[in-house]
């Protein structure tokens, strides 16, 4: 158990809908990272938050947004969903801002999103 | 842009048959190379971090090595429980996130 909690584990929804994925980082970790994993693209970095502030942005669509709350949990909001958004969404956490060379990421078990 | 390429995509071994997985990378200033293991339906689990060419790390039947252009994950006398997808990732330059390869799916047959 990595200590990173993601809910829900599975989510089935329809095209055009909006969903929210939730992540609680490991105790003491200040950074949260969101990754998308699909069969054809592997693990793709979406966005990172550190202590409530956005720190890095990857290939995140404009239809997607995220935030990190004062209690450090994070939410990833996906809107106007398309079939191609179906994927595993992972949250990872780390203790610092990601600048340290040896900083490891600890991953949650993911949310499987199916858009029908 | 950082690029990480893993080969082979899939590997089937008999129990006890040693082999190696490859991770080649193109980055601007490598700050760390990471190996993760991912079981079906689970998140990646950290295995090793390597920082400089010539470095080696070991854990049970796994040994990771690093050169200036690639890393190898050597699996000695594997067991069925070693079956998983092995992911390689890099952190480079000023990047905070890890960039992952597509992984090698390892199956060890009893």
């Amino acid at each position: 158990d990595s200590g990173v909690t993601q809910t829900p584990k599975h989510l089935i929804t329809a095209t055009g809908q909006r969903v929210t994925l939730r992540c609680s980082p490991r105790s003491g970790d200040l950074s949260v990272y969101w990754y998308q994993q699909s069969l054809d693209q592997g693990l793709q970095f979406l966005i990172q938050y550190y202590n409530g502030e956005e720190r890095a942005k990857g290939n995140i669509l404009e239809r997607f947004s995220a935030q990190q709350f004062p209690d450090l949990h994070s939410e990833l909001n996906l809107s106007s969903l398309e079939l191609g958004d179906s994927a595993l969404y992972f949250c990872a956490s780390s203790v610092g801002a990601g600048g340290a060379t040896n900083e490891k990421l600890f991953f949650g078990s993911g949310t499987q999103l199916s858009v029908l | 842009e950082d690029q990480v390429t893993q080969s082979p995509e899939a590997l089937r071994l008999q129990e006890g048959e040693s082999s190696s997985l490859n991770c080649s990378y193109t980055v601007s200033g490598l700050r760390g190379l990471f190996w993760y293991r991912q079981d079906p339906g689970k998140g990646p689990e950290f295995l090793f971090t390597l920082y400089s060419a010539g470095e080696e790390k070991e854990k049970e039947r796994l040994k990771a090595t690093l050169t200036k252009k690639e890393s190898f994950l050597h699996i000695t006398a594997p067991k069925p429980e070693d079956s998983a997808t092995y992911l390689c990732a890099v952190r480079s330059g000023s990047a905070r996130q890890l960039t992952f390869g597509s992984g090698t799916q390892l199956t060890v047959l009893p």
Side-chain angles (χ1 to χ4, degrees):
Chain A
D1 182 5
S2 68
V4 179
T5 304
Q6 287 189 250
T7 57
K9 288 194 183 302
H10 303 278
L11 201 48
I12 301 174
T13 189
T15 55
Q17 294 298 304
R18 172 190 166 96
V19 297
T20 298
L21 313 184
R22 182 187 169 104
C23 169
S24 294
R26 291 189 323 155
S27 177
D29 284 358
L30 298 179
S31 269
V32 169
Y33 302 75
W34 287 97
Y35 281 82
Q36 179 192 57
Q37 187 175 43
S38 57
L39 286 175
D40 58 343
Q41 296 235 328
L43 266 169
Q44 297 290 314
F45 170 67
L46 296 177
I47 197 164
Q48 178 212 1
Y49 279 82
Y50 172 74
N51 206 21
E53 303 278 335
E54 182 185 308
R55 276 301 179 104
K57 214 166 186 176
N59 301 321
I60 188 167
L61 300 172
E62 285 191 11
R63 300 183 285 110
F64 296 0
S65 65
Q67 55 184 326
Q68 186 179 29
F69 295 87
D71 67 352
L72 301 177
H73 90 271
S74 178
E75 293 181 357
L76 179 67
N77 300 296
L78 315 176
S79 61
S80 302
L81 285 168
E82 303 174 358
L83 295 177
D85 297 328
S86 296
L88 254 175
Y89 290 84
F90 286 105
C91 164
S93 72
S94 68
V95 63
T101 300
N102 63 345
E103 197 164 317
K104 298 188 282 285
L105 268 59
F106 296 88
F107 284 80
S109 294
T111 294
Q112 178 67 61
L113 175 65
S114 299
V115 183
L116 305 178
Chain B
E1 185 179 321
D2 298 342
Q3 289 194 337
V4 180
T5 304
Q6 291 188 246
S7 61
E9 290 185 11
L11 181 63
R12 290 165 68 92
L13 300 173
Q14 289 296 134
E15 185 171 1
E17 180 187 0
S18 302
S19 188
S20 296
L21 313 182
N22 177 264
C23 170
S24 60
Y25 59 90
T26 305
V27 301
S28 172
L30 180 71
R31 291 170 52 220
L33 186 139
F34 299 74
W35 280 99
Y36 282 80
R37 168 190 171 129
Q38 186 175 20
D39 292 297
K42 296 192 175 181
E45 177 187 344
F46 172 79
L47 292 174
F48 304 108
T49 311
L50 302 165
Y51 301 106
S52 56
E55 189 175 359
E56 298 183 354
K57 292 239 176 116
E58 285 190 66
K59 179 180 180 180
E60 296 180 1
R61 294 176 292 282
L62 301 177
K63 183 168 82 171
T65 62
L66 182 65
T67 72
K68 287 188 178 180
K69 293 188 176 181
E70 56 192 349
S71 177
F72 293 93
L73 185 65
H74 307 278
I75 303 176
T76 302
K79 298 182 177 182
E81 53 262 42
D82 294 322
S83 297
T85 296
Y86 290 86
L87 298 167
C88 170
V90 297
R91 176 180 281 133
S92 69
S94 60
R96 301 179 185 280
Q97 74 277 12
L98 300 184
T99 299
F100 283 84
S102 297
T104 293
Q105 185 176 9
L106 174 67
T107 304
V108 182
L109 304 170

